[in-house]
Amino acid sequence: MLRSNTSSETDSDSSSGSDSDSELGKYFYPQIEQLEMAKQPEPGMKFQTLEDAHRFYNTYALLKGFEAKRGTNYMRKKFHLICNRSGKSKATPDLHRKRKRKSIEKTNCQAKVIVKLVKGQWEFTTVRNEHNHPLCPSSSLTKFYLSHKHISTEERSFLKVLQRTRIPPNKVMKIFRRMRGSFGSIPFKKKDGTNLLCAEQHRKENSDVGKTLMYFKEKELQDPSFQCMKQTDEDNIVHSVFWTDERSMMDYEIFGDSLLFDATYSTDRHNMLFAPIIGINNHGRTLLLGCALLHDENAETYKWMFETLLHVMGGKMPVSIMTNQDEALAKAIAEVMPQVRHRLCKWDVLEKAQQNISAFMAESGNIKADLDRLVDNSLTEKEFEEGWGALIERYGASQNEYLQLLWQRRKNWVPVYFRQDFYPFVQSHGCGEGMNLLFKDYVLSIDRIEKFIERYDEIHKNIIKTDEEDRLQTGAVPSCFSLQPIEKHAANIYTRQIFLKVQRELLHSTAFNVQEIQRGAMYRLNKVFNYENPEFDRNNFEVQVESATNAFKCQCSKFTRDGILCCHIFRLFTQFGINQIPEQYIVPRWTEKFREEKEKQYKEKCSEKMDSTMRYTNFMTKMADLGKTICSDGAKYDAFMLEVDKIQENFATAQK
């Protein structure tokens, strides 16, 4: 029941609740475990993070019957958590003025705790539990108590329907508010709905895996091209499953050069990993290329999955792959695909860093913001490494073991070390978004197998539908914002979605002036006008030029990273009067004709393979029918085998 206090909660690091808490606004919703372990605060209690301390006190306040809020703080190292009735009541000169509905009568209550950062932990140094006012004065507050919660049978049934269709919890709350209008308050909270879903799931029989295998068996019967590979143990018990279909295999053949692998979801009953394999098509949109349910997070399991992926996809290796931070996963990739460029998701690495050294970051002021800026804006390895040394010295962090680990592994995750590698639109897409956005609003991070598969099938259908819509736009020239010939040229060669990205670069190019450093060889682009969402938060970029080969190389390396030119090079094109994108800077992958040509090649290859398979099938069928007749008669069998031997001899002679 925490009421937000904006005057003292401006820093995200000092926020009292998680994202899920703030999602519902002014109220705090404790977890069941926190309610069960709640007790009266005492001096000397220690917590790993400020958030843990704050949630502990908020839970105590909820059960005791008062509301807590954040009071003053000293240099973000000492915080006062106080009763919302602290402070003196203000006199009201106008007795006829209507009293505000949500106003709280102040009683100068002295109940509070002081939490202080001591040796990396947050400790209650002062505790006052006595209040000078009645606790829980309003009956409306009882709706927050577990013992008084109530969801009617009808509401419970409707809630189940919403959950089965994976309506996000915050949207469920909006639906119920709309249904009830102004006739009453919602009798339950978002957390109640989530808990109800968990209870419903645990009532299910432990049969998810069996149902999944039956479902895949039906898919194989309906679609001969559907591929389902199983990893079994010595007792023939299925441990892991990988599946894909003909459409995904074709997409992998065409767009399998750069992959994202997401292993952040798991199933509830069996703790299996749900791991989709994601690619990017010629419109810059995400593709589902396959999926796996993995028994565990061991290197051998990941190794089986990647070996299976390559086997199903005809042995084609990707050029680059991005994954979340996991040592076993990295080991498997190094063994199965040693030549593939492997990159860790920057967002995942920094998020784990925030979790592991949150107390140190809170104590060190702006280190997180400075670290993010350094990681995001470094254009050269030297710039990053010198900046890292300065940052560590500035915050006295040379002894921090986790930051030392990040430094040792910098070449696995810091973007500047991958500026020459093809990871299309990761900077703007966001690895976390590209991977998780497909599933996060429709499944829980821990959910039932069938829900993941349902969502996978839905996404796959939507991707195909979107791709068909994109194809319908082929041939229609999009509108241009300028009269520049180069923009018209880009509109004629790129797919619509890629053209929009190129068009954005052309627009941003107008924000720069050109400064000549060395005539015909080196130029500096100086930003003279700010624009929204720049890829790099800096004002100067250098571009090298080789006039003899008409080659341009920018510090930002956008062309090698994304396969399209940056705004800085486009600005030089304007300066030099270049009205068309040079051929060497048109990546076929992003053009209108690329998919059509690759699909034709793929289908021809499949047709050849199918002809061979069909001949083999027809031959074996004919031999089986013939064998039934011949094998029952010894004389016929001997005569037939003599003829087979003669045929083999003739083939051997012909091949010499």
Side-chain angles (χ1 to χ4, degrees):
M1 290 174 356
L2 170 70
R3 289 195 181 276
S4 59
N5 185 357
T6 55
S7 63
S8 59
E9 295 185 33
T10 55
D11 286 304
S12 60
D13 286 349
S14 62
S15 124
S16 60
S18 63
D19 291 341
S20 58
D21 300 334
S22 61
E23 204 171 301
L24 289 177
K26 62 185 179 181
Y27 290 112
F28 162 77
Y29 301 105
Q31 298 175 359
I32 297 299
E33 295 81 4
Q34 292 170 330
L35 287 166
E36 291 173 346
M37 298 176 66
K39 60 180 180 179
Q40 183 169 291
E42 299 174 356
M45 285 184 170
K46 295 180 180 180
F47 305 87
Q48 288 297 317
T49 66
L50 175 61
E51 180 182 333
D52 291 341
H54 210 161
R55 292 181 72 88
F56 175 89
Y57 191 62
N58 288 331
T59 304
Y60 166 75
L62 170 68
L63 296 178
K64 197 70 176 176
F66 68 96
E67 293 184 42
K69 68 175 185 179
R70 180 168 299 173
T72 58
N73 75 81
Y74 176 70
M75 297 181 64
R76 299 177 64 195
K77 296 181 181 179
K78 184 168 72 173
F79 290 84
H80 289 241
L81 309 179
I82 61 178
C83 175
N84 71 326
R85 294 199 173 203
S86 64
K88 296 181 180 179
S89 181
K90 296 180 181 179
T92 306
D94 186 359
L95 298 179
H96 297 288
R97 191 178 71 175
K98 184 180 281 189
R99 184 176 181 268
K100 291 183 180 179
R101 238 177 96 232
K102 297 181 181 179
S103 65
I104 300 294
E105 181 184 353
K106 303 294 185 180
T107 64
N108 200 24
C109 181
Q110 297 299 306
K112 68 176 180 179
V113 299
I114 297 177
V115 57
K116 185 178 179 181
L117 186 61
V118 180
K119 295 181 179 179
Q121 288 187 309
W122 294 91
E123 181 178 338
F124 284 166
T125 57
T126 302
V127 177
R128 294 178 185 169
N129 291 322
E130 298 78 19
H131 295 260
N132 65 355
H133 56 87
L135 298 180
C136 194
S138 170
S139 59
S140 64
L141 293 179
T142 59
K143 71 178 180 178
F144 294 103
Y145 281 66
L146 287 172
S147 60
H148 291 96
K149 286 192 306 184
H150 174 70
I151 305 176
S152 71
T153 303
E154 293 78 9
E155 289 167 337
R156 187 178 293 266
S157 299
F158 182 53
L159 178 59
K160 288 179 183 178
V161 172
L162 296 178
Q163 289 169 337
R164 289 189 187 111
T165 54
R166 279 327 189 239
I167 303 298
N170 59 331
K171 294 181 181 178
V172 171
M173 293 298 295
K174 290 179 182 178
I175 290 171
F176 273 86
R177 287 194 184 98
R178 181 68 61 85
M179 288 169 59
R180 294 201 166 211
S182 59
F183 296 104
S185 59
I186 304 300
F188 65 97
K189 303 176 289 298
K190 170 182 171 181
K191 202 68 174 178
D192 300 342
T194 304
N195 290 339
L196 177 61
L197 175 59
C198 293
E200 176 73 11
Q201 289 174 353
H202 285 290
R203 281 196 292 269
K204 297 285 184 182
E205 293 296 325
N206 190 7
S207 58
D208 278 359
V209 175
K211 288 181 179 178
T212 299
L213 295 176
M214 288 177 61
Y215 172 76
F216 287 151
K217 192 68 177 176
E218 291 176 3
K219 291 271 287 185
E220 287 177 325
L221 293 173
Q222 295 169 6
D223 180 6
S225 67
F226 182 82
Q227 297 274 345
C228 176
M229 311 295 285
K230 298 179 271 296
Q231 182 192 37
T232 58
D233 61 14
E234 61 275 8
D235 297 321
N236 206 33
I237 295 175
V238 175
H239 278 198
S240 302
V241 183
F242 172 85
W243 73 95
T244 187
D245 60 15
E246 184 177 20
R247 173 64 181 250
S248 295
M249 287 188 284
M250 181 174 68
D251 285 339
Y252 182 92
E253 177 71 19
I254 301 172
F255 304 115
D257 49 354
S258 184
L259 304 181
L260 300 176
F261 178 73
D262 181 12
T264 56
Y265 293 96
S266 60
T267 65
D268 58 347
R269 302 289 290 178
H270 312 282
N271 199 30
M272 298 179 75
L273 290 178
F274 174 78
I277 297 166
I278 298 169
I280 305 293
N281 70 6
N282 59 326
H283 298 278
R285 300 189 191 274
T286 51
L287 290 170
L288 286 177
L289 303 176
C291 197
L293 284 167
L294 303 178
H295 175 64
D296 53 38
E297 298 177 80
N298 293 333
E300 286 302 313
T301 303
Y302 285 130
K303 185 178 176 181
W304 171 86
M305 192 214 68
F306 287 118
E307 288 174 342
T308 303
L309 170 69
L310 294 179
H311 171 73
V312 171
M313 300 303 180
K316 178 178 178 177
M317 289 274 186
V319 176
S320 62
I321 185 169
M322 177 177 284
T323 71
N324 49 303
Q325 186 178 359
D326 186 289
E327 290 186 11
L329 186 55
K331 181 181 178 183
I333 292 173
E335 291 183 11
V336 179
M337 302 182 290
Q339 67 271 49
V340 173
R341 189 76 161 119
H342 179 207
R343 175 180 179 179
L344 301 181
C345 175
K346 176 194 74 174
W347 288 268
D348 184 57
V349 171
L350 293 178
E351 183 180 359
K352 287 178 179 174
Q354 172 73 10
Q355 294 169 1
N356 280 277
I357 54 174
S358 58
F360 175 79
M361 285 187 169
E363 189 176 14
S364 301
N366 294 325
I367 187 171
K368 183 180 184 303
D370 287 350
L371 177 60
D372 289 340
R373 269 193 297 272
L374 176 65
V375 170
D376 291 340
N377 292 302
S378 295
L379 293 180
T380 66
E381 294 175 15
K382 181 180 179 182
E383 179 184 353
F384 171 77
E385 290 170 3
E386 290 178 352
W388 181 278
L391 180 141
I392 295 298
E393 183 178 352
R394 183 162 64 251
Y395 289 100
S398 59
Q399 300 303 312
N400 188 287
E401 294 182 1
Y402 200 87
L403 287 176
Q404 290 176 5
L405 184 64
L406 290 184
W407 168 255
Q408 292 167 9
R409 297 178 176 176
R410 65 191 182 281
K411 294 185 179 180
N412 296 328
W413 66 274
V414 179
V416 73
Y417 294 98
F418 296 90
R419 59 200 172 99
Q420 300 303 320
D421 300 296
F422 186 63
Y423 287 94
F425 312 120
V426 166
Q427 291 289 100
S428 56
H429 238 266
C431 164
E433 290 183 13
M435 289 182 170
N436 296 323
L437 195 60
L438 294 174
F439 293 92
K440 70 178 184 179
D441 283 341
Y442 298 91
V443 293
L444 307 174
S445 58
I446 300 177
D447 212 330
R448 288 168 53 202
I449 293 176
E450 66 183 67
K451 291 302 177 185
F452 285 121
I453 294 175
E454 283 176 12
R455 181 58 186 154
Y456 181 91
D457 288 345
E458 289 172 12
I459 292 171
H460 201 28
K461 290 175 183 175
N462 289 337
I463 285 173
I464 293 173
K465 180 181 177 183
T466 302
D467 187 57
E468 289 172 352
E469 291 172 353
D470 285 336
R471 290 194 190 201
L472 290 175
Q473 295 178 345
T474 301
V477 180
S479 59
C480 298
F481 76 89
S482 73
L483 298 177
Q484 288 183 296
I486 198 167
E487 184 182 7
K488 189 73 172 178
H489 181 233
N492 287 323
I493 58 177
Y494 290 118
T495 62
R496 179 178 289 267
Q497 295 303 317
I498 297 301
F499 167 70
L500 293 176
K501 295 179 185 294
V502 173
Q503 188 180 51
R504 192 177 303 115
E505 295 299 319
L506 285 166
L507 175 62
H508 292 169
S509 72
T510 62
F512 290 87
N513 279 343
V514 178
Q515 178 185 353
E516 186 178 75
I517 305 300
Q518 183 180 349
R519 186 175 183 82
M522 180 69 72
Y523 296 85
R524 179 174 294 123
L525 282 297
N526 300 310
K527 188 192 292 184
V528 293
F529 192 86
N530 290 325
Y531 51 86
E532 290 185 358
N533 302 319
E535 197 166 353
F536 295 93
D537 187 15
R538 55 192 301 152
N539 295 322
N540 309 105
F541 299 84
E542 291 185 355
V543 179
Q544 295 178 1
V545 178
E546 291 184 12
S547 302
T549 58
N550 202 28
F552 296 79
K553 186 177 181 180
C554 182
Q555 275 185 312
C556 75
S557 302
K558 187 172 184 64
F559 179 72
T560 53
R561 290 183 290 109
D562 294 341
I564 63 173
L565 289 170
C566 63
C567 55
H568 320 113
I569 291 178
F570 276 128
R571 178 63 183 85
L572 276 185
F573 283 2
T574 302
Q575 188 83 358
F576 297 159
I578 298 175
N579 293 325
Q580 287 194 346
I581 300 174
E583 191 68 29
Q584 69 263 36
Y585 295 115
I586 300 174
V587 175
R589 192 189 202 282
W590 303 134
T591 61
E592 290 279 12
K593 296 180 179 179
F594 178 76
R595 178 167 193 142
E596 183 180 339
E597 293 171 356
K598 290 293 182 180
E599 273 190 15
K600 184 179 178 181
Q601 294 172 13
Y602 178 79
K603 289 176 180 178
E604 287 174 355
K605 185 171 74 172
C606 289
S607 178
E608 292 174 5
K609 185 178 178 181
M610 184 62 68
D611 289 344
S612 175
T613 303
M614 288 299 294
R615 286 194 295 269
Y616 177 81
T617 302
N618 292 336
F619 177 80
M620 294 304 295
T621 301
K622 195 174 188 70
M623 289 300 101
D625 293 338
L626 190 59
K628 291 177 184 178
T629 305
I630 293 174
C631 292
S632 61
D633 188 318
K636 290 182 179 178
Y637 172 79
D638 292 338
F640 179 78
M641 294 306 294
L642 284 173
E643 293 300 321
V644 170
D645 291 339
K646 290 179 182 178
I647 293 172
Q648 285 182 315
E649 288 176 7
N650 291 335
F651 279 141
T653 303
Q655 289 175 355
K656 289 181 180 180

